[in-house]
Amino acid sequence: MTTPVPSLGSIQEEVRAFWAQVLNHESLTNDDPFTLVGGTPTQGSRLASLIAARYKVMIYQTWILKVPTISQQSAAIFEFLKASRGKKEVAQTAN
């Protein structure tokens, strides 16, 4: 039996919470680019690790730069989870 895919809204809330935790910054909008709100490479790695652990997928730090906003990251995760629960890599979603 497969696990149900979380709603886009719940994914977005979780991703926003990860950003707030990593950046120590609560005033984020869904369309703020990661680097423009102060995200560093080290924080990008930490964010990628949190997302990967939560959704059981492989996320690379470069994905954070290619898919730089909460909205884009949430949508990519949502579409990936809908499309295939068997694959384990989201990193190539944005080319």
Side-chain angles (χ1 to χ4, degrees), residues 70-92:
I70 293 168
S71 292
Q72 291 172 328
Q73 291 174 6
S74 301
I77 293 164
F78 179 71
E79 290 303 320
F80 173 79
L81 293 176
K82 278 189 356 183
S84 174
R85 295 292 289 174
K87 293 183 182 177
K88 297 295 180 194
E89 188 167 315
V90 176
Q92 301 305 316

Side-chain angles (χ1 to χ4, degrees), residues 43-55 57 59 61 64:
Q43 290 169 318
S45 292
R46 187 164 169 231
L47 178 62
S49 294
L50 289 168
I51 292 171
R54 166 60 183 98
Y55 296 104
V57 294
I59 304 265
Q61 178 184 355
I64 302 298

Side-chain angles (χ1 to χ4, degrees), residues 55-68:
Y55 296 104
K56 304 207 180 359
V57 294
M58 188 179 299
I59 304 265
Y60 297 103
Q61 178 184 355
T62 56
W63 183 79
I64 302 298
L65 301 175
K66 290 180 182 180
V67 186

